[in-house]
Amino acid sequence: MVFSSPIFLFGFLPIVLLASMLVGRSAQNVILLASSLFFYAWGEPVFVLLLLLSIGVNFGLARNIFDAPNRREVLLGLGVGFNLLLLALFKYGVFFLTDVMDLLGASGEWRAGLAAQWPEMPIGISFYTFQAVSYLVDVSRGRCRPQRSLLDLGLYISMFPQLIAGPIVRYSEIEEQLADRKRSWTDFNVGASRFVRGLAKKVLIADTLSIYADAAFGASPEALGVQAAWLGLTCYAFQLYYDFSGYSDMAIGMGRMFGFRFPENFDFPYASQSVREFWKRWHMTLS
């Protein structure tokens, strides 16, 4: 279920918004957590268990980091290692194993079979992994106290607006908003406008540019002229920006509609005058 799909726009999102408005403040986090887990399970019915494992392990680790200051660095190292291991296992596990098999002289057919059976990387694992790591680091450095509510921590890690494509939100940035946030029609209107703008970036611009970019990258070198190559490359560059920044705009807008203030993720990166400045403006929350 992607943000631009009809089932999300005309089914899932309106239902969740309406449900969160009808319940009291104390039940809003329950609605959002249940909705987020349902949203993730829609696309990843098996790997939602991995998400729940991440929530449970990081909940326990953070409390132990806070309660045992003499073992803080060791526990933080274990926590960061656990989270990054999950990410590396799905992202690089097959490459590592095939390299080991190369050293052992395994047959190419056996290696190909392993690569074909290796599970694909779960959607959004990079984003919720980095958020979990940032939570442990914030607790370890004393920027915040560990969350005593498993429900609220689960919502922080799995919140559906920014679960799939960010922005990455530090726990200290929304700690107070998880416990108590104010919603107003002004915020709702601002958020809805931001969501529509991001949707337009994705559907009207990025998806249109992808037609020309895919055609250029899919053409044979003999049939691709210089002008067509440059056109395809330019379309791809802007497709990538409008797709990613469009999703970030939709996430920020939805967060605002639910009462959250997410950080900005893009700041006109193609207006940069240096590579260093570019990376300060592109996917800013990753830094």
Side-chain angles (χ1 to χ4, degrees):
M1 193 188 316
V2 296
F3 294 163
S4 57
S5 64
I7 192 171
F8 180 86
L9 293 173
F10 304 110
F12 180 83
L13 183 58
I15 291 173
V16 177
L17 281 170
L18 182 61
S20 67
M21 291 176 179
L22 294 177
V23 300
R25 183 178 300 176
S26 60
Q28 289 184 14
N29 285 1
V30 177
I31 294 293
L32 284 177
L33 176 59
S35 302
S36 297
L37 294 178
F38 177 83
F39 173 85
Y40 193 79
W42 182 276
E44 298 285 8
V46 175
F47 288 130
V48 70
L49 299 176
L50 189 68
L51 176 59
L52 292 171
L53 174 66
S54 176
I55 293 170
V57 170
N58 285 288
F59 177 77
L61 279 170
R63 297 187 64 171
N64 279 279
I65 288 172
F66 184 81
D67 294 335
N70 57 323
R71 294 186 297 156
R72 183 170 296 170
E73 292 185 3
V74 175
L75 291 172
L76 176 62
L78 289 174
V80 172
F82 166 78
N83 284 287
L84 296 184
L85 179 62
L86 288 182
L87 179 60
L89 181 66
F90 289 97
K91 195 167 187 177
Y92 304 111
V94 66
F95 299 110
F96 174 75
L97 288 178
T98 51
D99 286 344
V100 170
M101 286 187 290
D102 281 339
L103 293 175
L104 297 177
S107 66
E109 182 178 345
W110 200 87
R111 287 188 290 109
L114 175 65
Q117 296 177 11
W118 195 263
E120 294 183 1
M121 190 168 69
I123 298 172
I125 189 173
S126 298
F127 293 96
Y128 72 72
T129 294
F130 287 131
Q131 291 209 163
V133 169
S134 78
Y135 168 62
L136 295 180
V137 171
D138 281 346
V139 172
S140 175
R141 293 180 176 177
R143 292 174 178 167
C144 61
R145 298 176 65 86
Q147 180 57 251
R148 297 296 174 179
S149 168
L150 181 60
L151 184 150
D152 287 352
L153 181 66
L155 176 59
Y156 162 68
I157 292 177
S158 67
M159 200 182 308
F160 76 87
Q162 39 78 235
L163 175 63
I164 303 301
I168 299 171
V169 183
R170 295 187 71 94
Y171 177 75
S172 56
E173 293 175 323
I174 64 168
E175 178 184 11
E176 295 181 359
Q177 299 173 45
L178 286 169
D180 183 25
R181 57 188 178 277
K182 297 180 180 179
R183 302 174 67 177
S184 66
W185 284 113
T186 300
D187 283 337
F188 185 90
N189 290 334
V190 171
S193 298
R194 185 70 179 268
F195 178 84
V196 171
R197 187 169 69 196
L199 182 64
K201 281 184 177 181
K202 160 65 179 166
V203 176
L204 300 180
I205 301 179
D207 288 355
T208 301
L209 291 173
S210 69
I211 298 173
Y212 301 97
D214 292 346
F217 281 90
S220 62
E222 298 80 11
L224 190 65
V226 174
Q227 292 180 339
W230 276 107
L231 176 63
L233 185 62
T234 303
C235 287
Y236 176 73
F238 283 99
Q239 174 206 347
L240 189 64
Y241 167 71
Y242 282 107
D243 190 275
F244 198 175
S245 68
Y247 269 107
S248 292
D249 284 342
M250 285 189 278
I252 293 170
M254 282 189 288
R256 191 72 174 267
M257 287 190 279
F258 288 111
F260 291 96
R261 302 292 184 97
F262 295 155
E264 296 293 336
N265 209 23
F266 289 88
D267 184 20
F268 301 101
Y270 288 148
S272 304
Q273 297 182 6
S274 66
V275 174
R276 183 176 182 179
E277 183 183 358
F278 175 83
W279 287 114
K280 287 183 176 181
R281 292 167 172 258
W282 179 281
H283 197 10
M284 298 185 293
T285 58
L286 179 62
S287 300

